[in-house]
Amino acid sequence: MEQEMTDIEAQTKAATQEGSAVFKNANRPVILKFEDVVYKIKIKKEGFLKKNMKAEKKMILKGVSGIVLPGEILAMLGPSGSGKTTLLTALGGRLGGRLNGTITYNGKPFSNPMKRNTGFVTQDDVLYPHLTVTETLVFTALLRLPNSITKEEKIMHAEAVITQLGLTKCKNSIIGGPFLRGVSGGERKRVSIGQEMLINPSLLFLDEPTSGLDSTTAQRIVSTLWELANGGRTVVMTIHQPSSRLFYMFHKVLLLSEGNPVYFGMGPGAMDYFSSIGYVPSVAMNPSDFLLDLANGVSSDDSQDNQTVTKQILISAYKNHLAANLKEELQNRDNHLQDGLENKEFAQWSTTWCQQFSVLFRRGVKERKHESFSGLKIGQVLVVAVLSGLLWWQSDVSHLQDQTGLLFFYSGFWGFFPLFQAIFTFPQERMMLEKERSSGMYKLSSYFMARTIGDLPMELILPTIFVIITYWMAGLKPTAGNFLYTLFALLFSILVSQGMGLALGALVMDQKSATILGSVIMLSFLLAGGYYVQHVPPFISWIKYVSISHYTYKLLMGSQYKPNDTYPCGTNGFCLVGEFPAIKAVGLDGQILSVVALFIMLVIYRLIAYLALTRIGVTK
């Protein structure tokens, strides 16, 4: 994969300058209109008794209107909880539920073609930490750009975005994360913007793109967005507290207070408007600070009663002075930008299932190999393997109890280890899956298959090494057939345990809760596995029929013993292995049935995991 990325860079280096011109102008101009947008949610309030639980409706957005033209930046300001992000999500076509009002794009409702022409940058930069900037954008380009563009052209598009966003110096640096040094916060934000710029969107939404950045970096980000808007794009963003330099770069400003609009109009004209209705800052200050004070109801008197009155005055002033003119503009604005989107046929997916699987597989292997083969994990397995080999050193058939103990340890250790590795899989990738699925990058089935198949080599290498070390040190049957049977039984059970971990993680989506639940289930399986308790009461003996440990232990014993094998017992005597109490309780028969049972579990657990994931992002 690394060699492939090196070849990619070599092939496209000369084409970068030419490709950067591709993104100079918007693909298709879009006029965004939204009128009387109202959004309600239900809040359950629990009374003294549960039967008194009541569901109340809360209005998050209360009749918000506006219009943004190609070449304009609309900045939505307001205190926390004012509804900025909710409105942005609604305008981006990503908000369901009780949403009322009218939102149109060139006079048309949101559609699949418009979705393909829209970029959405979330507040949190959801990126893979071990991929470089180039790899991140190239993989995104291979997934998001249609098959009408060749692979080389897709890579050229990624290089063009890198050049346009000023990421050339860090193009070969990894993204990094909380515990991994990588690119800076501003560069990470530009990479997130670059992922959306790959489709050359006409409509770009950004949720607080300057959050957590210093003023200089924030200036660079907004300057980049200003240049993008200048190319004919329609840019809408939420921003919390911009500097005065940033404020005067916004073409239009929407100020929200508790879901109510209190100003919509040109950015530089905001101060004049509030002066005209009697609100003037007492000292020279940043316009955005002054607007946020007003949205919070803070003017000359900071009392709680006065704040409520101030908010009501501002809402009334908006309805009397701005709402009528805005409504007239919405009605009179001609949707003359006929971009042909409604007449163009779009496939539901930009790439085929096989292409999605291939790209996701390569990306996943490159990202997760650092975690799967970490020194800590390798050291853990090697230490346990050597210690086990020493404890069971050359324990031949004369130490039958010890050998069965080793086989049960196999099933226990390699039941818990892959289970806890798999439990964290989907909770850790939830945000990435939501982001990419909402953008329509790939089918859930291609992601799921690439994720599970991509893990197989990495998840099966360490247990194979473990068996190689312990098998020969412990003195188990030294034949190729017995060794391969043992290895097969263990690796097969690992896949089943991994499937259960994937199912629990996908169902619960909380790492702590899923870990506790997984521990309880696996301990129950171990207790019913047939080693600790040989005389299980009938009313609870059913657990062994769903126990991974029981079937694994049965297969492992079958790999070493036959019913007619003998072992030394008593004084100069021999007994049948099949009559040994610990083995007789589990039995050496039913080997094929054990394989079938584990296979059924393998399928069921993975099916549960897949169905649970359909709740995340798009469910198609």
Side-chain angles (χ1 to χ4, degrees):
M1 184 63 208
E2 293 178 358
Q3 181 63 41
E4 181 181 353
M5 297 306 299
T6 303
D7 295 339
I8 285 171
E9 291 181 10
Q11 294 171 3
T12 59
K13 188 174 182 181
T16 301
Q17 185 174 1
E18 178 183 352
S20 62
V22 175
F23 297 97
K24 184 176 180 181
N25 296 311
N27 194 9
R28 303 173 184 88
V30 173
I31 297 177
L32 171 63
K33 290 183 183 181
F34 50 102
E35 187 171 3
D36 294 328
V37 176
V38 176
Y39 183 67
K40 301 177 183 178
I41 61 173
K42 288 184 178 180
I43 301 178
K44 291 185 178 180
K45 289 191 175 182
E46 189 172 334
F48 182 75
L49 297 174
K50 282 191 175 181
K51 64 181 181 179
N52 293 330
M53 185 180 294
K54 298 180 179 180
E56 295 185 358
K57 292 181 180 179
K58 180 180 179 181
M59 291 185 67
I60 305 298
L61 299 174
K62 305 173 183 178
V64 185
S65 301
I67 181 171
V68 198
L69 305 178
E72 291 183 340
I73 297 179
L74 169 64
M76 297 190 288
L77 279 71
S80 299
S82 60
K84 304 187 302 293
T85 299
T86 302
L87 179 58
L88 186 81
T89 308
L91 297 179
R94 301 189 176 200
L95 188 65
R98 292 182 167 272
L99 180 66
N100 297 317
T102 304
I103 303 176
T104 60
Y105 312 80
N106 287 348
K108 303 289 182 180
F110 194 77
S111 60
N112 185 55
M114 181 53 63
K115 180 179 181 180
R116 294 291 179 84
N117 211 32
T118 301
F120 197 105
V121 181
T122 58
Q123 181 176 350
D124 298 319
D125 299 317
V126 185
L127 303 166
Y128 284 114
H130 290 98
L131 298 183
T132 66
V133 171
T134 298
E135 290 166 348
T136 298
L137 292 175
V138 166
F139 281 129
T140 304
L142 294 176
L143 286 170
R144 295 195 71 175
L145 295 179
N147 281 336
S148 57
I149 303 174
T150 65
K151 179 180 178 181
E152 291 72 22
E153 290 174 331
K154 292 180 181 181
I155 298 170
M156 186 182 71
H157 276 61
E159 291 281 355
V161 169
I162 290 174
T163 302
Q164 186 180 19
L165 297 180
L167 295 169
T168 305
K169 291 183 179 180
C170 63
K171 61 186 294 186
N172 296 319
S173 302
I174 61 172
I175 300 296
F179 306 105
L180 182 65
R181 184 170 183 149
V183 298
S184 67
E187 291 167 336
R188 190 178 293 113
K189 179 59 68 177
R190 277 181 279 167
V191 172
S192 296
I193 296 174
Q195 287 186 307
E196 303 304 317
M197 287 305 301
L198 283 168
I199 60 172
N200 193 20
S202 299
L203 188 56
L204 182 61
F205 297 96
L206 306 102
D207 190 8
E208 300 202 16
T210 61
S211 177
L213 304 179
D214 61 83
S215 59
T216 303
T217 305
Q219 173 76 20
R220 291 174 181 170
I221 294 291
V222 176
S223 297
T224 301
L225 296 175
W226 192 91
E227 292 175 1
L228 296 178
N230 195 43
R233 295 175 181 84
T234 305
V235 179
V236 182
M237 71 169 75
T238 63
I239 194 163
H240 184 62
Q241 202 163 5
S243 65
S244 56
R245 288 192 302 171
L246 297 186
F247 182 84
Y248 287 109
M249 296 180 70
F250 304 142
H251 300 94
K252 288 180 178 177
V253 169
L254 170 62
L255 181 62
L256 295 174
S257 175
E258 297 180 353
N260 294 288
V262 293
Y263 177 76
F264 180 85
M266 306 305 292
M271 298 298 288
D272 294 336
Y273 165 74
F274 287 109
S275 297
S276 68
I277 60 174
Y279 291 97
V280 182
S282 56
V283 295
M285 61 188 302
N286 181 350
S288 63
D289 292 339
F290 178 65
L291 296 185
L292 288 174
D293 285 345
L294 291 178
N296 280 307
V298 177
S299 55
S300 57
D301 186 357
D302 290 336
S303 67
Q304 186 68 36
D305 292 339
N306 189 71
Q307 290 179 13
T308 304
V309 172
T310 300
K311 292 178 183 178
Q312 293 299 324
I313 293 175
L314 292 173
I315 294 171
S316 298
Y318 172 84
K319 292 179 180 178
N320 295 330
H321 297 90
L322 297 177
N325 293 334
L326 178 57
K327 186 174 183 179
E328 183 179 353
E329 182 182 1
L330 289 170
Q331 292 176 346
N332 295 336
R333 170 62 63 174
D334 182 20
N335 294 307
H336 64 280
L337 294 177
Q338 299 298 324
D339 51 31
L341 282 175
E342 64 275 10
N343 297 323
K344 187 170 182 178
E345 291 294 330
F346 279 80
Q348 183 164 353
W349 305 100
S350 299
T351 52
T352 65
W353 191 95
C354 291
Q355 289 174 317
Q356 295 170 12
F357 172 83
S358 175
V359 175
L360 292 170
F361 179 85
R362 288 182 286 130
R363 186 182 72 174
V365 169
K366 183 167 185 63
E367 168 61 26
R368 293 190 299 278
K369 68 179 181 181
H370 304 278
E371 178 184 352
S372 297
F373 296 115
S374 65
L376 185 63
K377 186 179 293 186
I378 294 174
Q380 176 186 3
V381 172
L382 291 180
V383 168
V384 174
V386 173
L387 182 60
S388 300
L390 293 175
L391 287 172
W392 275 280
W393 179 262
Q394 299 302 312
S395 59
D396 56 21
V397 72
S398 63
H399 304 94
L400 196 56
Q401 182 65 40
D402 290 345
Q403 282 195 344
T404 57
L406 174 61
L407 297 178
F408 192 76
F409 174 73
Y410 272 16
S411 67
F413 180 75
W414 289 107
F416 274 99
F417 195 86
L419 172 73
F420 290 134
Q421 295 295 322
I423 274 178
F424 299 120
T425 298
F426 296 127
Q428 288 178 340
E429 292 209 350
R430 177 171 185 166
M431 294 181 66
M432 180 66 74
L433 186 57
E434 287 178 341
K435 169 190 169 183
E436 295 185 336
R437 290 278 292 152
S438 296
S439 300
M441 289 177 63
Y442 46 74
K443 296 180 180 180
L444 180 60
S445 57
S446 61
Y447 164 81
F448 186 80
M449 293 299 294
R451 188 67 173 87
T452 53
I453 294 178
D455 285 342
L456 292 184
M458 296 183 284
E459 296 297 332
L460 298 182
I461 288 177
L462 288 180
T464 301
I465 296 174
F466 181 90
V467 172
I468 291 174
I469 294 174
T470 58
Y471 191 92
W472 305 108
M473 290 181 68
L476 298 175
K477 283 190 175 180
T479 65
N482 293 107
F483 170 77
L484 293 176
Y485 195 162
T486 303
L487 181 61
F488 163 78
L490 188 64
L491 295 183
F492 193 32
S493 71
I494 286 172
L495 294 181
V496 180
S497 297
Q498 183 192 51
M500 187 173 76
L502 294 174
L504 291 175
L507 282 170
V508 180
M509 275 299 173
D510 178 76
Q511 295 180 6
K512 185 177 180 180
S513 301
T515 301
I516 294 173
L517 182 59
S519 300
V520 172
I521 294 175
M522 188 55 71
L523 283 173
S524 301
F525 287 172
L526 283 175
L527 292 175
Y531 181 78
Y532 295 119
V533 185
Q534 298 176 15
H535 303 286
V536 181
F539 64 85
I540 200 173
S541 61
W542 59 268
I543 296 180
K544 69 179 183 181
Y545 297 113
V546 294
S547 169
I548 300 174
S549 302
H550 172 74
Y551 295 113
T552 304
Y553 184 38
K554 197 178 192 64
L555 287 175
L556 289 173
M557 287 198 301
S559 71
Q560 295 298 310
Y561 313 117
K562 302 299 179 186
N564 57 353
D565 289 347
T566 60
Y567 69 97
C569 65
T571 304
N572 298 324
F574 291 89
C575 301
L576 291 174
V577 168
E579 296 299 322
F580 187 75
I583 297 178
K584 185 177 181 180
V586 178
L588 296 176
D589 56 340
Q591 296 289 297
I592 296 177
L593 183 63
S594 297
V595 173
V596 172
L598 288 177
F599 179 78
I600 293 173
M601 293 182 188
L602 177 72
V603 174
I604 290 177
Y605 285 141
R606 278 169 165 72
L607 181 61
I608 291 173
Y610 178 82
L611 294 176
L613 289 179
T614 59
R615 302 173 300 168
I616 299 176
V618 186
T619 58
K620 294 181 181 179

